[in-house]
Amino acid sequence: MIPTDRVVIVGAGLGALYAALVMAPRPVLMISPDPLGQGASSAWAQGGVAAAMDPADSADAHAADTVRAGAGTVNPEVARLVTAEARAHILTLTTLGTPFDRDPAGEYVLSREAAHSFARVVRVKGDQAGAEIMRALVAAVRAAPSVQVLEGFVATSLLLEAGGVAGIHLARAMGSQPVAIRAPAVLIAGGGSGGLYSVTTNPPRIRGEAIGMAARAGAVIADAEFVQFHPTAIASGEDPAPLATEALRGEGALLVNAAGQRFMTALHPDAELAPRDIVARGVYAEWRAGRVPALDCRKALSARILTQFPAVAAACVRAGIDPVRQPIPVAAAAHYHMGGIETDWDGRSSLPGLWACGEAASTGLHGANRLASNGLLEALVFARRAALSIGAGPAAAPPVILPELPPAPLPDPTLVMRLREAMTAGAGVLRDAVGLQAALRVIAEVEAGQSDCPQLQNMTATATLICAAALLRRESRGAHARTDHPHTAAPHRSRMTLSQALALRPAPEPEPL
Ligand code: SIN
């Protein structure tokens, strides 16, 4: 056991970096699985940060859109709080060096995304917002003497003492036995769960491990069933699937099928700019029917796509698609987990000593269907609030020095792929009780297949929570679409512990003799 006076931050994405900077000069130990700035979903975010920056727009209008998109389960007070703080965070990111796009008059260029009543997404070079914000924050963290970054390490479980969180166990990301670190506070900012699905836009490390770790320690998990599917992941066979940002549809790109027909016009008056869950189901239906859904950018963007959306253009080139002349084939892919570790307005979880922010947390902002580009915004707002809530401490602490850690196996890739395929088949865009129960059975088998691997147990814990909460929610709402319960019931958020979820999971099938 290694004691430290540093606050431990699990993860190294937007929320983690921002919280470390807000906490400075309080010493922090940041656990980054990859070299700092790589491997976090924040760096892959294309759209940008939603904020009412136009004088004709307002935080109240942004809050109202957030509530409307969330399908009845957004906490309106949280929406007002977050949208009211948005502008200040954009100004802070600007001061930290984020090169947001500006017009000749120096005003922020604002993109339009689905279900926003106003163009209010602050962006960088079209689709580079996540990468550029992360670049600015990584530079600031590297220059902050209070932050010690352990690169190439992962947290595997929480250290529990006297009913609270007293630290973490961490291991080498490439596989080692864990070592315990005792710390005054732990902030989980380790991302969501999209990578638990076989079709996802999330980086390979984002597989529900952060949420699962908290769940295994007994934290309450809220809205676990609400997983958002992005309608326009590029269907090129790459894993993870590259994203074709919603901002392309904001620019007028159209969704068409193999016959060249627009299919969204029949499904919603806003067609391609309908709420994301509706567009995702539209794309999924075309794909299931074999009609090859595609995003046609030819008329709306033409060659502009190459310079204004460089990440999308590069993904097309990798797949042999010419987006100037060809529609881009797309699929619905797991993209964002609205559910997560339940937190209060200060990022505090149900466990003493544990805070959470970013996609790992569930604050009540997103409801059943997150409004586009509210994800990075929520991470900023709650990273700051959590950092302030953790509060001041000693102004200095020696760096944590780790001993040599003996090797230990990583999660078995065959088991991980089985888990991901089961989630896509049973807990995907459309769900029913039979499929969810089948997924729960596979999850139990996967877990039993490597019961001594904490990283895999963290993944199966989150997968169990998603399926169990989806099974209990006998209605359809936002991104949670039950074909056996297509109606909408009275709105409510779900709250569940892992032991409650496990009670709904069938035992694994015994091995045949
Ligand atoms: C996108 O750019 O389409 C994704 C933005 C988001 O998920 O908020």
Side-chain angles (χ1 to χ4, degrees), residues 1-8 29 31 150 157-159 161 165-171 178-186 400-403:
M1 165 99 63
I2 301 175
T4 179
D5 285 335
R6 292 175 177 270
V7 172
V8 168
L29 179 69
I31 315 298
L150 282 178
S157 59
L158 293 170
L159 177 68
E161 279 176 15
V165 173
I168 58 165
H169 293 95
L170 66 78
V179 60
I181 310 274
R182 180 185 279 125
V186 175
V400 171
I401 310 284
L402 295 177

Side-chain angles (χ1 to χ4, degrees), residues 334-354:
H335 179 63
Y336 189 92
H337 199 173
M338 276 79 73
I341 303 162
E342 186 182 49
T343 61
D344 68 10
W345 291 21
D346 289 321
R348 244 191 239 107
S349 78
S350 60
L351 297 179
L354 181 68

Side-chain angles (χ1 to χ4, degrees), residues 45-48 113 228 230 232 243-247 249 276 335 370-375:
Q46 292 188 359
E113 290 188 354
Q228 185 167 64
H230 198 292
T232 56
L243 187 66
T245 174
E246 200 162 281
R249 281 174 278 138
R276 192 173 279 183
H335 179 63
R370 179 182 61 102
L371 187 66
S373 292
N374 266 356

Side-chain angles (χ1 to χ4, degrees), residues 57-284:
D57 193 7
S58 70
D60 281 350
H62 182 184
D65 289 347
T66 301
V67 169
R68 201 175 313 111
T73 51
V74 170
N75 179 333
E77 286 175 284
V78 173
R80 276 195 294 275
L81 169 118
V82 170
T83 56
E85 289 189 14
R87 184 184 175 82
H89 289 286
I90 298 301
L91 299 181
T92 303
L93 290 180
T94 306
T95 307
L96 285 168
T98 308
F100 289 117
D101 291 351
R102 306 292 189 107
D103 65 16
E107 302 297 337
Y108 291 90
V109 174
L110 302 168
S111 298
R112 178 88 191 260
E113 290 188 354
H116 284 276
S117 58
F118 223 89
R120 64 162 75 91
V121 179
V122 179
R123 62 185 217 189
V124 185
K125 293 179 212 146
D127 61 13
Q128 299 291 301
E132 288 294 335
I133 294 169
M134 286 291 287
R135 209 185 313 280
L137 292 182
V138 165
V141 162
R142 289 263 188 234
S146 58
V147 187
Q148 179 189 0
V149 185
L150 282 178
E151 290 168 301
F153 287 86
V154 290
T156 55
S157 59
L158 293 170
L159 177 68
L160 296 174
E161 279 176 15
V165 173
I168 58 165
H169 293 95
L170 66 78
R172 287 195 176 277
M174 297 307 289
S176 79
Q177 297 292 341
V179 60
I181 310 274
R182 180 185 279 125
V186 175
L187 171 63
I188 293 187
S193 311
L196 281 175
Y197 288 79
S198 56
V199 185
T200 181
T201 60
N202 284 197
R205 281 204 196 280
I206 306 300
R207 295 194 170 148
E209 291 184 53
I211 296 169
M213 189 168 58
R216 287 173 66 218
V220 173
I221 306 301
D223 292 344
E225 66 277 33
F226 292 148
V227 175
Q228 185 167 64
F229 297 88
H230 198 292
T232 56
I234 301 177
S236 58
E238 251 187 83
D239 176 25
L243 187 66
T245 174
E246 200 162 281
L248 292 163
R249 281 174 278 138
E251 295 273 332
L254 302 176
L255 282 164
V256 295
N257 58 25
Q261 286 158 346
R262 284 178 74 190
F263 49 88
M264 282 311 302
T265 43
L267 300 179
H268 194 277
D270 293 337
E272 282 81 2
L273 290 177
R276 192 173 279 183
D277 57 322
I278 296 172
V279 186
R281 284 193 288 276
V283 166
Y284 185 71

